[in-house]
């Protein structure tokens, strides 16, 4: 029995690892076209010319995801003051996103990646056959559409402030060139 359990866990780990690699800083951000919480189609190109904070999260209205979303909400003036747009993505559907955004008064788009294709492109997919979730990964995308910073270890309560500090640093380094 123990061998069977270990074997199944090994197979599940391989399936989860089969998602694409995380795009590296400096690479072109993978494009996408996804519906937001209101059903409007949103494309990566829409934010060309400005900084984009693209964050993937596992599930609407769960403790860590709510903390992270509300931190972005609370710091939205700071982030938009730095010329950045915040966009959240999970594999939940538009109805779930709409309820989540309304409940917590989220002032930024939540995109529904119901096929998990975009999460997979960004290496942010956990796929366990019966359960698919986005990993809590974030990306800062620069105005030219390149990935400027990758976050694979995120503290939901402090992440928006970390993003703001890194945006300031990235913008200062860009201005020096």
């Amino acid at each position: 029995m123990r061998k069977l359990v270990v074997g199944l866990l090994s197979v599940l780990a391989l399936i989860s690892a089969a998602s694409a690699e995380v795009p590296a800083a400096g690479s072109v951000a993978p494009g996408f076209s996804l519906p937001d919480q209101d059903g409007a189609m949103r494309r990566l190109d829409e934010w060309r010319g400005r900084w984009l904070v693209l964050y993937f999260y596992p599930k609407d209205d769960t403790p860590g995801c709510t903390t992270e979303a509300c931190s972005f909400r609370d710091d939205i003036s700071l982030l938009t003051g730095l010329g950045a747009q915040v966009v959240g993505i999970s594999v939940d559907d538009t109805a779930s996103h709409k309820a989540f955004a309304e409940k917590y008064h989220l002032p930024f788009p939540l995109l529904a990646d119901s096929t998990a294709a975009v999460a997979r492109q960004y290496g942010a997919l956990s796929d366990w056959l019966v359960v698919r979730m986005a990993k809590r990964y974030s990306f800062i995308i620069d105005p030219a559409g390149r990935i400027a910073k990758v976050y694979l270890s995120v503290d939901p309560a402090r992440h928006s402030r970390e993003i703001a500090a890194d945006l300031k640093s990235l913008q200062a380094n860009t201005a020096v060139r």
Side-chain angles (χ1 to χ4, degrees), residues 92-136:
D92 291 325
D93 62 23
T94 55
S96 178
H97 283 346
K98 186 168 188 66
F100 185 46
E102 287 177 354
K103 182 176 181 178
Y104 294 103
H105 310 286
L106 303 178
F108 49 83
L110 298 177
L111 306 184
D113 184 18
S114 57
T115 66
V118 176
R120 186 173 282 110
Q121 283 182 290
Y122 280 82
L125 181 64
S126 289
D127 190 348
W128 300 95
L129 293 177
V130 295
V131 176
R132 277 191 320 203
M133 294 180 152
K135 297 175 184 176
R136 194 179 306 281

Side-chain angles (χ1 to χ4, degrees), residues 19-42:
S19 61
E21 287 187 32
V22 174
S27 64
V28 174
F32 59 80
S33 180
L34 294 171
D36 68 13
Q37 67 265 36
D38 296 317
M41 292 304 290
R42 309 299 289 265

Side-chain angles (χ1 to χ4, degrees), residues 1-15 128-129:
M1 180 66 163
R2 184 165 194 254
K3 286 182 180 181
L4 177 63
V5 170
V6 170
L8 284 173
L9 290 175
S10 297
V11 169
L12 290 174
L14 287 172
I15 291 167
W128 300 95
L129 293 177

Side-chain angles (χ1 to χ4, degrees), residues 42-55:
R42 309 299 289 265
R43 299 172 39 90
L44 175 64
D45 294 343
E46 178 180 335
W47 294 288
R48 180 68 62 111
R50 60 188 302 199
W51 293 90
L52 177 64
V53 175
L54 188 66
Y55 83 98

Side-chain angles (χ1 to χ4, degrees), residues 55-69 72 88-93 96-97 100 110-114 116 119 124-128 131-138 152 154-156 159:
Y55 83 98
F56 289 85
Y57 65 98
K59 186 98 179 113
D60 290 333
D61 213 6
T62 56
C65 297
T66 299
T67 297
E68 185 175 21
F72 278 122
I89 298 180
S90 84
V91 299
D92 291 325
D93 62 23
S96 178
H97 283 346
F100 185 46
L110 298 177
L111 306 184
D113 184 18
S114 57
L125 181 64
S126 289
D127 190 348
W128 300 95
V131 176
R132 277 191 320 203
M133 294 180 152
K135 297 175 184 176
R136 194 179 306 281
Y137 287 179
S138 296
L152 304 181
V154 172
D155 177 343
H159 191 46

Side-chain angles (χ1 to χ4, degrees), residues 62-82:
T62 56
C65 297
T66 299
T67 297
E68 185 175 21
C70 290
S71 292
F72 278 122
R73 176 201 63 203
D74 295 346
D75 292 334
I76 199 71
S77 293
L78 173 63
L79 295 164
T80 57
L82 292 167

